Amino acid sequence: MTILVVMAVPVFGQSYRTSFKQTMRRTDATFFQTPEARRIGDQLLLFQRVTGGWPKNIDMARALSDEEKEQILGDRQKRNDSTTDNDATTLQMDFLARLYQATHDKRYRDAFRRAVDYLLSGQYDNGGWPQFWPEMRDYQIHITYNDNAMVHTLRMLRDMAARQEPYQGDLTEAKQRHRMTTAFDKGIECILATQIKTNGRLTVWCQQHDHETLLPAAARAYELPSYCSMESAGIIELLMELPNPGDRVKCAIHAAMRWFDTYKLKGYRVEHRGVWAAADSETRLVADAKAKPLWARFYDLEHCEPYVCDRDGIPRRHLEQIGSERRNGYAWYSTNPASLFPLYHKWAQRFDPANEVPVSLDTPGANENGIIEWFRKPAIHPELFDAIVNPGDSIQLSIERAPAHPVRPYRILIRKGTYRQKVIIDRPNIMLVGEDRDSTMLVLAETRATQTITEYHGKAVGNGVIVIQEGADDCIISGLTVYNNYGTVVEPGNTTHQMAIFGRATRTIVINCNVWADGNDALSLWAPGGDGMYYHADLNLRCLGVDFLCPRGMCYATRCRFMGDGHAIIWHDGRGDKSRKLVIKDSYFDALSPTPLGRYHHDSQFFLLNCKLSKNILDENIRYAYTDKVLDPCPWGLRVYYYNCLREGGHSGWLRNNLQESEEHPEFHGVTADWTFQGKWHPEARIKELWDVLAY
């Protein structure tokens, strides 16, 4: 979802939610007679779009400068940012309604009426509303229950049609109120039509449904088609407010309450530390036999089991398996549905006692009685592979058996064991997948001076345990420990180049691996000309030397753990194109001794977001590598950008948020793999396609 930036100032996060929204929700009549209320109301008129709606995530109550007011007026013609998401439009409407009742200023009434027409204009023939309109893109077109957007709209239409406070008097027109009643009824019909039916039985709803097929639909990368407890709870509460529920409404409520009772979770509570979504915040599930029942926000459609998800769009079972930004900035679990249980009993006794479903917050949860496997571990399916390597077998021979130019990924499963082999990947589309990252080990002691294989099929071979040759593009390595241990077993203390993985190809994916080396440049992907693209996730990188993540070109890394020992950890070469960059998100840097974070000696660009640094990472910025010489003048200068990063023990100012100082000045949520690779490569989509094979 896009966030609008007005000049320098919308205020996001917890402070925005608590200050602006609290102001918009004030109900005390005396406040609306004050100059301050009129000042805010006048600003709401400025922000109202020509559509009649408002954009979201902007603090419209704070004082504006004349320059800001001029820009806001210039944005009035926008037709692509009006929405009901995050309480936008309905919040502004409620404030203006109360202000009009207090002042009888027709400007507020007229703006309110335009907003009513906006709400009514967005409804589909099937009764649903999209997230944005009239202009929309991607998932914004779906019927949207997310954050109770449609429920809020329906409640407002119902109350306006009945002229309930604060919508009494001439605030609305009679013809509008007639349309509101019709729209409300159609909205209820849409709700009934979109309730998910599984094996012939009604369940609950997804956050969003396809506006044509009405099936569950995806929204943001981490919001997959699913059973959604939080929005479904809001829907059920609305349905139980209907004064004369018909049989379909009764069936919908009974079925949803059966689902809530069946899939409640017990024995855990959510513990949150720190300010919501801040660098030092932490959210985790804690075992607690006395905890109240809770529900996952999302349950997958295959097993009806809870999952969490990062911005890569891959569902996980454990909170700690996703990065800190999504882990701490999204509500993955809730106790809210528990409030429905007493309401349901009263409702059923009044309207349909004969069909009341027995529900209880005290019975075992789905995770306790075996209905679901909450923390289901992905399983390797050998039948999905083209070749299987067992201990004692040659990994190289399996690669040789692959087509010279595979048109689809050639999948090689490496069983648990220790393989003391050098592996050379010399053709594209090769997948090496270990059975278990900690017990499937490729170990070799090698430096450039001591390597025994220097040529393969007539082409020079570099130093490393795994070497990806030029042209061997679209390689995927997952589920392995790759360790160059020369500096331990052959020449203790030697930290010369000892690559674990060395590559000269592009579109290389290395995920779910331990990458260890006793010397420099453990993970070195150096496509010729610096034109390579590389993706890393869930790596444990350990190196006694320098520059152990050192890409040339474009690289995106997330959820990685770095362990160094006295030598700079990260390095980047971005020569030839100012857009080349190394992006590291949601990762942890540690060291055995005081250690620099990183260095460079060619033109480079670093972006670190939501990263944590131990106290053994020196309190100093990434810097030029040498003080006694200049190998490259680096005309683009120091380009190092941070967002929401934290160092134990604090920092001297260099780790401050400065993302907007970059030439591209992205918003934090916009720094993704697709952004890093400028849309030229979509590695996370590739990983999702192959997730049944990667299975970790």
Side-chain angles (χ1 to χ4, degrees):
M1 301 181 180
T2 3
I3 291 181
L4 175 70
V5 176
V6 178
M7 299 298 287
V9 209
V11 181
F12 304 115
Q14 186 67 18
S15 61
Y16 162 76
R17 283 192 292 269
T18 56
S19 60
F20 173 63
K21 290 192 175 183
Q22 282 179 356
T23 300
M24 290 294 99
R25 291 185 173 125
R26 291 189 68 161
T27 59
D28 44 317
T30 55
F31 169 73
F32 288 94
Q33 295 172 352
T34 65
E36 174 67 2
R38 294 196 69 137
R39 181 191 68 79
I40 294 171
D42 290 346
Q43 290 191 173
L44 296 184
L45 301 185
L46 287 177
F47 279 102
Q48 189 176 26
R49 301 306 196 220
V50 67
T51 61
W54 281 266
K56 67 174 183 174
N57 293 350
I58 300 175
D59 185 349
M60 301 179 187
R62 66 171 187 83
L64 299 171
S65 68
D66 291 340
E67 292 79 7
E68 288 173 322
K69 290 178 181 178
E70 185 176 346
Q71 178 180 334
I72 293 164
L73 281 172
D75 289 337
R76 283 181 61 85
Q77 301 304 313
K78 287 186 174 181
R79 300 174 59 83
N80 63 352
D81 65 354
S82 299
T83 181
T84 54
D85 187 42
N86 286 8
D87 298 325
T89 300
T90 52
L91 266 182
Q92 287 83 356
M93 289 177 69
D94 194 70
F95 190 94
L96 289 178
R98 296 181 187 280
L99 190 56
Y100 175 67
Q101 302 301 349
T103 65
H104 300 291
D105 187 328
K106 292 182 179 180
R107 294 180 305 138
Y108 305 135
R109 183 198 66 184
D110 293 345
F112 186 92
R113 288 179 177 180
R114 289 194 297 273
V116 170
D117 288 338
Y118 170 72
L119 290 183
L120 293 170
S121 72
Q123 190 174 33
Y124 292 128
D125 289 341
N126 59 29
W129 273 268
Q131 187 183 70
F132 286 75
W133 74 91
E135 294 180 8
M136 58 195 81
R137 59 180 175 79
D138 304 326
Y139 61 83
Q140 295 172 352
I141 200 171
H142 295 322
I143 295 167
T144 301
Y145 298 126
N146 192 16
D147 291 333
N148 291 319
M150 187 164 148
V151 167
H152 288 162
T153 298
L154 287 172
R155 278 203 174 100
M156 178 170 272
L157 291 174
R158 176 197 65 192
D159 294 347
M160 287 189 297
R163 301 170 88 172
Q164 293 183 9
E165 191 271 337
Y167 312 121
Q168 65 269 35
D170 65 342
L171 183 64
T172 57
E173 299 172 303
K175 61 181 180 180
Q176 286 182 319
R177 293 192 292 276
H178 175 73
R179 292 176 63 197
M180 292 171 196
T181 301
T182 301
F184 180 83
D185 292 342
K186 287 175 62 178
I188 297 300
E189 284 299 311
C190 178
I191 285 174
L192 298 176
T194 50
Q195 191 170 13
I196 302 170
K197 183 178 285 188
T198 304
N199 297 324
R201 174 174 281 192
L202 291 171
T203 59
V204 287
W205 290 263
C206 186
Q207 277 190 336
Q208 48 281 315
H209 289 253
D210 188 279
H211 72 295
E212 292 180 343
T213 67
L214 306 186
L215 294 174
R220 290 173 289 189
Y222 48 89
E223 295 170 330
L224 310 178
S226 60
Y227 304 102
C228 181
S229 68
M230 291 177 65
E231 278 72 10
S232 294
I235 289 172
I236 288 302
E237 191 171 359
L238 174 67
L239 292 181
M240 287 197 290
E241 293 169 2
L242 296 177
N244 298 298
D247 288 343
R248 290 178 65 207
V249 171
K250 294 175 183 177
C251 287
I253 293 172
H254 291 313
M257 290 305 302
R258 179 184 295 108
W259 187 94
F260 280 119
D261 183 63
T262 301
Y263 292 102
K264 62 182 180 289
L265 306 169
K266 301 188 77 173
Y268 288 85
R269 59 180 168 82
V270 177
E271 182 178 274
H272 188 83
R273 186 192 69 214
V275 177
W276 182 260
D280 62 348
S281 65
E282 186 59 39
T283 304
R284 61 194 186 111
L285 272 178
V286 179
D288 184 348
K290 297 180 180 179
K292 296 179 180 179
L294 53 77
W295 286 260
R297 185 164 194 159
F298 300 129
Y299 294 72
D300 67 69
L301 294 178
E302 181 180 3
H303 303 289
C304 200
E305 292 176 345
Y307 72 88
V308 295
C309 197
D310 217 328
R311 290 186 184 271
D312 57 9
I314 296 172
R316 306 301 186 105
R317 299 298 180 179
H318 296 270
L319 270 175
E320 58 268 25
Q321 291 176 328
I322 64 175
S324 62
E325 187 262 326
R326 282 297 80 194
R327 183 171 71 249
N328 300 314
Y330 198 73
W332 294 107
Y333 296 95
S334 172
T335 59
N336 290 349
S339 64
L340 295 175
F341 282 58
L343 294 177
Y344 170 67
H345 176 69
K346 292 178 182 178
W347 175 88
Q349 287 300 303
R350 179 181 177 189
F351 292 109
D352 197 14
N355 293 305
E356 180 177 2
V357 175
V359 299
S360 172
L361 297 173
D362 298 323
T363 54
N367 58 308
E368 295 175 319
N369 57 24
I371 291 177
I372 64 166
E373 187 179 340
W374 189 349
F375 303 114
R376 181 185 297 270
K377 185 178 180 180
I380 290 284
H381 298 284
E383 68 274 11
L384 298 178
F385 289 84
D386 300 294
I388 297 177
V389 180
N390 294 298
D393 294 344
S394 167
I395 300 171
Q396 197 63 47
L397 185 58
S398 292
I399 295 172
E400 284 288 333
R401 289 171 177 164
H405 299 283
V407 294
R408 65 170 183 82
Y410 188 81
R411 307 163 179 185
I412 300 173
L413 172 63
I414 305 174
R415 293 287 195 183
K416 296 177 185 178
T418 299
Y419 300 79
R420 301 187 183 279
Q421 309 175 16
K422 185 180 182 76
V423 175
I424 303 166
I425 300 173
D426 67 339
R427 60 203 70 192
N429 250 333
I430 296 296
M431 287 183 67
L432 295 183
V433 179
E435 187 176 13
D436 178 84
R437 67 181 274 172
D438 295 319
S439 54
T440 307
M441 305 185 69
L442 278 63
V443 183
L444 189 72
E446 178 175 278
T447 65
R448 181 176 297 179
T450 63
Q451 66 184 87
T452 57
I453 301 175
T454 58
E455 185 178 290
Y456 191 71
H457 289 177
K459 294 183 179 180
V461 172
N463 156 35
V465 183
I466 297 178
V467 176
I468 307 168
Q469 297 284 74
E470 185 176 350
D473 302 332
D474 299 299
C475 172
I476 300 178
I477 298 171
S478 176
L480 300 172
T481 292
V482 186
Y483 183 21
N484 190 333
N485 64 349
Y486 182 91
T488 297
V489 300
V490 178
E491 191 177 344
N494 184 309
T495 58
T496 57
H497 282 140
Q498 295 170 37
M499 282 76 160
I501 300 176
F502 175 75
R504 289 194 171 275
T506 189
R507 298 188 301 276
T508 302
I509 295 174
V510 183
I511 55 179
N512 185 35
C513 286
N514 299 315
V515 182
W516 300 339
D518 292 337
N520 305 340
D521 298 41
L523 178 50
S524 306
L525 300 183
W526 297 345
D531 203 27
M533 295 183 287
Y534 324 113
Y535 179 90
H536 307 311
D538 306 298
L539 300 184
N540 182 334
L541 291 133
R542 189 185 76 196
C543 184
L544 302 181
V546 71
D547 304 339
F548 54 94
L549 177 63
C550 51
R552 291 178 172 172
M554 296 183 180
C555 180
Y556 180 92
T558 184
R559 301 187 304 272
C560 296
R561 295 184 67 87
F562 298 83
M563 176 61 74
D565 188 14
H567 305 284
I569 293 174
I570 57 177
W571 177 95
H572 177 240
D573 181 353
R575 287 173 292 173
D577 187 336
K578 289 186 78 173
S579 69
R580 291 174 180 168
K581 56 182 71 74
L582 167 59
V583 175
I584 303 178
K585 293 179 64 177
D586 294 305
S587 296
Y588 182 67
F589 293 83
D590 197 3
L592 300 175
S593 62
T595 297
L597 174 61
R599 65 177 197 156
Y600 66 97
H601 56 268
H602 297 298
D603 275 313
S604 58
Q605 188 171 203
F606 299 83
F607 289 83
L608 275 70
L609 292 85
N610 302 302
C611 291
K612 294 184 179 180
L613 287 60
S614 83
K615 62 184 178 182
N616 271 343
I617 303 301
L618 291 172
D619 182 16
E620 62 180 34
N621 203 357
I622 293 171
R623 54 178 171 75
Y624 192 81
Y626 304 105
T627 57
D628 59 339
K629 57 185 175 182
V630 177
L631 295 185
D632 186 328
C634 301
W636 295 332
L638 177 68
R639 297 187 299 161
V640 183
Y641 308 106
Y642 301 100
Y643 178 82
N644 209 35
C645 293
L646 180 73
R647 177 183 177 272
E648 294 172 353
H651 62 91
S652 55
W654 58 275
L655 202 57
R656 64 183 176 84
N657 290 350
N658 67 338
L659 198 57
Q660 292 298 312
E661 294 176 10
S662 77
E663 196 166 286
E664 297 172 88
H665 49 267
E667 294 293 337
F668 75 91
H669 55 82
V671 180
T672 62
D674 286 352
W675 175 82
T676 301
F677 303 118
Q678 301 176 311
K680 298 174 184 176
W681 182 42
H682 306 283
E684 291 173 344
R686 180 172 171 84
I687 292 169
K688 286 177 70 174
E689 291 172 0
L690 295 165
W691 191 244
D692 287 346
V693 180
L694 296 166
Y696 76 89

